[in-house]
Amino acid sequence: TCVTVLDAKEFPKQVTSVERFKDRFKDGMEERDPEGEGEKSIADLLIQQVEFANVILVNKIDLITDTERENVIQLVSTLNPSAKVLPTEYGKIDIKHILNSKSFSMEEAESSPGWLNSLKTGGVKLSRYGISSFIYKARKPFHPARLSAWARRIFHFDQEWNEDDIKDDDLKLDYMKSNFGQILRSKGFCWIAGRDSMQAGWAHSGRLVQIHSLLPWCADKPEEEWNTETPEEIEEMRKNFEGPYGDRRQALVFIGIKLNKDSLISSLNECLLTDKEMESHSLTGSYRYHDPLPAWIKTYDVPGKNFCPILQQDQPHKFDVASGLLLHITNLALDCPIEVENENGSSLLRAVKVWLDEGEGRKKESRLLATLRPGRIEQYSLSVDISSPVSEGCNEDHGNGNGNNHDQDHDHSNDHSDQDHDHSHDHSDQDHNHSHDHSHPTETFWLRMELVERSGKRTHSGEPVKTTNVHNAGVKVHVMGSIVFDPTYEQLMQIKAEMKEGEEEEDEEEPETPENDGGDVSMEADS
C-alpha cells in the first residue's frame, strides 16, 4: 500500500503556496534530504503525493465543516480518481486499509493521475462543489510571446521561481480566479512555433508552471521509432495525424475549482498563430518569433560542430558542454536595425551587454563578456573557452567558463549588479578516429544579452535608466564559435592512464608469499 496523509484544513490552502518545503520546515532538512526534495514547492510535493498514492487519508476532518469536507474529498478524488480516499480524525483508521492490502501497483500508479485520466476520458464534469476538468485541444501552434504573456499573467515559471524572482503572486492569483476560476493542476503537451521539432511538455501544479522539451513529434520519425509494439498501436497513432504538420497539436488538461472553460479556451486560442501567420510559418524557422519562454537546454557533445546561437532580448541560449570537449567563442556580431534610431539617425541604445551565466537557480553566477556599442552590423573579436568539469575534485578552475578572454575593442564594465533536452547525438559526420568517452555534462551555462537604452536620466551609479521602448525592436547578437577537444581533458586522461598502468606493474612485481605445508610446521615445532 502507498499511503498519503493530508491535513483536510490546510490542503486547499497549501496547493496554492509558492513556498519551498525546506523554507517552511527548516529543522534538520539538510541531514534528512540528500536528494534535495526540500527544494521543491510545497504545492508540487503535495500534488505529487496525492497523484501517486493508492490510499489517501484525509485527516483532521473534525476541524472543518461538512461542506468543506466534501469539497476537499472531491478535490483529492479529481486529482487521483483511482485512489481510495478515506476521511479520518486523529489518524484513526482500520489497519486493514493500509497494511498487507497488496493493493499497490506501480503500473497503476503511473496511470492514476487525474490529468491522465481526463486526457483519456475527455475531462470530468462540474461537480456540485465546483470541481471539474477539461481538455484544451488545437491544431495550430502557440506563438511563444503570446503564450508567455498568458502564462505570466496567472502563473510563475519554475525557472524564475528557482531564482527567487517571484512577483505579484496575489495579483496573479486574483486575476486567474476572476477570469478563469482557480486552476490547481494542468498538464499535457503543446506545439510552440519556433520550437517545432520537439513536443513541449506542460507541467503545472499550484502556482508554478514548467514548459520543457519532451520528445520529437512522430511526424519527424520513422514508424519503427514511434514507441509502439503492435499494428493496432501504430494505427491508433496515425489517427493523431492531420494535414501537413502531422501529429503536431495542443492537448492540455486543466483541473480546478469553478473553472470558466469558455474563457480559458478563448484566451488560449488568442495565443495561437493567426491564419495569416500560418501562411508563412516554417518548421525550420527557429528565430522567426520573439520567444521569451524559458529556454530549453542544448547539449554540445560532438567535436567539430559550429556554435552559432542568436541572442535576443529575453531569449538566452541555455547549453551544456560534454566532458572532454570545449566551447571556443571567437566572435560577436551586433545587429542593430534602423528602427532603433531616432529622427536624427542616432541610436536609442547606449549599449548591448553580453553575459555568461553559470549554474541554475539561486546558485547562478554571472560574468560580463562584452559591452557592445550600437552600429548597424559590427563584428567583435574575443576568445572565451567554456567547458564542464572533468570530474569532481579535478582542476578546480576547469568548467567555470573562466578560460582565456582576450576581448578586442570592447568597452567593458565592472558593474555586475544586474546580474524535456535537445541533444545532438548525430555522430555520423565526425571525421576523426578518436574514441573518447564524453560523459554527461555537469554544468549549465547561459548566454544572454541586455539592452541599455540611451537616456538623459541616470542612476546614482551613473548607469542610464533602462526603459522598454526598444526591447522588442529586433536587436540581435550573433555568437560564433566551435566545439573542439579539450586539451586539459586529454592531459588528465593520459595522467590517469599512466597512474593505472603503474599500479598494475606494481601488482605484477610484488613477490608471492610462500605457503608453508603442515610438515614444515611440524619440523619447526619438533626442533
Side-chain angles (χ1 to χ4, degrees):
T1 312
C2 183
V3 184
T4 285
V5 183
L6 298 179
D7 184 322
K9 186 176 182 179
E10 292 297 318
F11 181 71
K13 304 174 187 176
Q14 299 306 328
V15 291
T16 61
S17 172
V18 293
E19 282 190 275
R20 282 180 175 80
F21 184 86
K22 74 171 190 178
D23 292 340
R24 173 76 68 85
F25 307 100
K26 299 179 180 179
D27 295 341
M29 277 301 300
E30 294 183 1
E31 293 80 11
R32 294 185 284 113
D33 185 33
E35 297 182 1
E37 288 291 292
E39 289 288 345
K40 294 182 178 179
S41 74
I42 292 174
D44 190 28
L45 286 170
L46 279 174
I47 291 176
Q48 281 184 16
Q49 290 186 11
V50 168
E51 291 182 338
F52 194 77
N54 69 312
V55 175
I56 301 172
L57 306 184
V58 182
N59 196 34
K60 299 186 180 181
I61 59 168
D62 53 308
L63 301 181
I64 58 178
T65 66
D66 290 343
T67 300
E68 290 172 332
R69 166 182 168 170
E70 296 302 320
N71 191 12
V72 70
I73 290 175
Q74 178 66 40
L75 174 57
V76 170
S77 297
T78 304
L79 290 171
N80 188 343
S82 63
K84 181 186 292 185
V85 182
L86 302 173
T88 62
E89 297 180 23
Y90 297 99
K92 295 178 181 178
I93 189 70
D94 190 332
I95 202 168
K96 69 179 182 181
H97 293 301
I98 58 176
L99 286 183
N100 297 322
S101 68
K102 299 180 180 179
S103 59
F104 179 76
S105 163
M106 182 63 72
E107 184 177 349
E108 290 180 4
E110 292 174 346
S111 61
S112 64
W115 68 266
L116 190 56
N117 183 70
S118 295
L119 199 59
K120 295 175 181 177
T121 62
V124 177
K125 293 182 179 180
L126 184 68
S127 72
R128 62 187 175 127
Y129 302 104
I131 299 170
S132 64
S133 68
F134 77 94
I135 308 173
Y136 173 77
K137 296 182 178 181
R139 280 286 176 173
K140 292 196 293 187
F142 285 125
H143 190 293
R146 294 198 284 268
L147 180 63
S148 174
W150 183 90
R152 292 177 195 277
R153 277 197 293 267
I154 58 177
F155 300 135
H156 303 283
F157 281 110
D158 69 323
Q159 177 180 306
E160 295 160 358
W161 177 80
N162 284 331
E163 297 173 4
D164 289 337
D165 188 15
I166 296 294
K167 300 175 183 176
D168 305 323
D169 183 59
D170 291 339
L171 294 176
K172 292 184 177 187
L173 187 58
D174 290 342
Y175 181 89
M176 177 180 69
K177 289 181 177 180
S178 61
N179 288 273
F180 309 124
Q182 187 173 355
I183 307 170
L184 297 174
R185 181 75 159 129
S186 59
K187 196 168 175 69
F189 58 88
C190 50
W191 173 18
I192 300 175
R195 306 188 186 194
D196 302 84
S197 62
M198 301 290 286
Q199 285 187 31
W202 175 288
H204 149 252
S205 56
R207 305 292 303 120
L208 307 180
V209 63
Q210 180 185 31
I211 301 178
H212 57 279
S213 175
L214 202 55
L215 72 167
W217 295 99
C218 288
D220 293 340
K221 299 186 293 186
E223 288 187 0
E224 54 267 25
E225 296 180 14
W226 281 7
N227 196 27
T228 53
E229 297 179 356
T230 64
E232 290 76 18
E233 290 178 346
I234 293 177
E235 189 59 34
E236 193 65 28
M237 192 73 75
R238 286 174 179 159
K239 293 179 181 179
N240 297 325
F241 281 61
E242 184 178 303
Y245 298 109
D247 60 327
R248 290 178 174 85
R249 64 198 189 281
Q250 319 292 357
L252 300 173
V253 176
F254 290 87
I255 300 174
I257 302 172
K258 297 180 180 179
L259 294 181
N260 188 333
K261 178 179 176 180
D262 292 339
S263 180
L264 266 170
I265 291 175
S266 176
S267 65
L268 286 169
N269 284 343
E270 291 176 359
C271 298
L272 301 173
L273 293 191
T274 64
D275 291 340
K276 186 174 182 180
E277 288 171 329
M278 286 300 295
E279 291 176 2
S280 59
H281 180 64
S282 168
L283 295 180
T284 58
S286 300
Y287 297 99
R288 180 187 295 266
Y289 306 97
H290 178 57
D291 187 349
L293 289 169
W296 293 348
I297 194 165
K298 180 176 179 62
T299 293
Y300 292 92
D301 57 1
V302 180
K305 292 286 188 180
N306 289 328
F307 180 83
C308 48
I310 301 175
L311 308 182
Q312 299 182 61
Q313 183 71 1
D314 301 320
Q315 290 182 237
H317 183 64
K318 181 181 180 182
F319 65 97
D320 51 26
V321 182
S323 294
L325 300 180
L326 180 146
L327 166 61
H328 181 57
I329 300 177
T330 56
N331 283 279
L332 302 175
L334 175 62
D335 182 357
C336 193
I338 195 170
E339 289 82 1
V340 188
E341 297 179 353
N342 61 21
E343 297 177 354
N344 299 323
S346 300
S347 175
L348 297 174
L349 280 177
R350 179 175 179 269
V352 177
K353 295 183 177 182
V354 179
W355 296 86
L356 173 66
D357 300 333
E358 179 185 351
E360 295 269 17
R362 292 183 282 185
K363 297 180 180 179
K364 185 184 292 185
E365 298 180 357
S366 301
R367 180 161 69 101
L368 182 64
L369 293 186
T371 300
L372 312 181
R373 299 303 180 185
R376 190 61 57 84
I377 294 183
E378 294 192 29
Q379 296 270 352
Y380 296 83
S381 299
L382 73 166
S383 179
V384 175
D385 293 337
I386 301 170
S387 58
S388 291
V390 174
S391 62
E392 187 175 353
C394 296
N395 198 349
E396 293 179 0
D397 292 333
H398 197 66
N400 294 324
N402 293 328
N404 295 327
N405 186 353
H406 307 298
D407 299 331
Q408 300 175 9
D409 305 322
H410 293 330
D411 176 16
H412 290 285
S413 169
N414 292 322
D415 178 17
H416 290 250
S417 60
D418 299 325
Q419 316 198 333
D420 333 302
H421 300 271
D422 179 16
H423 294 282
S424 302
H425 290 303
D426 182 11
H427 294 252
S428 58
D429 46 5
Q430 295 185 37
D431 54 355
H432 53 80
N433 295 318
H434 300 280
S435 57
H436 297 276
D437 175 21
H438 304 306
S439 58
H440 191 275
T442 57
E443 207 69 64
T444 300
F445 300 96
W446 312 67
L447 281 169
R448 59 182 173 88
M449 58 167 268
E450 173 193 357
L451 302 180
V452 182
E453 186 173 354
R454 189 181 299 279
S455 171
K457 298 180 180 180
R458 291 181 175 270
T459 64
H460 293 297
S461 63
E463 283 295 307
V465 176
K466 292 185 290 185
T467 61
T468 58
N469 295 337
V470 298
H471 278 199
N472 294 323
V475 179
K476 300 176 182 177
V477 173
H478 299 256
V479 184
M480 286 152 279
S482 59
I483 306 298
V484 298
F485 283 110
D486 185 350
T488 308
Y489 183 88
E490 301 284 343
Q491 294 168 9
L492 182 60
M493 291 300 101
Q494 181 64 31
I495 293 173
K496 285 186 174 182
E498 292 174 356
M499 290 175 62
K500 185 177 181 181
E501 184 178 344
E503 292 172 356
E504 291 175 350
E505 290 178 354
E506 288 179 3
D507 291 340
E508 292 176 358
E509 294 174 0
E510 186 176 335
E512 295 183 4
T513 303
E515 296 183 2
N516 292 325
D517 56 28
D520 293 335
V521 174
S522 299
M523 288 174 65
E524 292 175 6
D526 291 342
S527 65

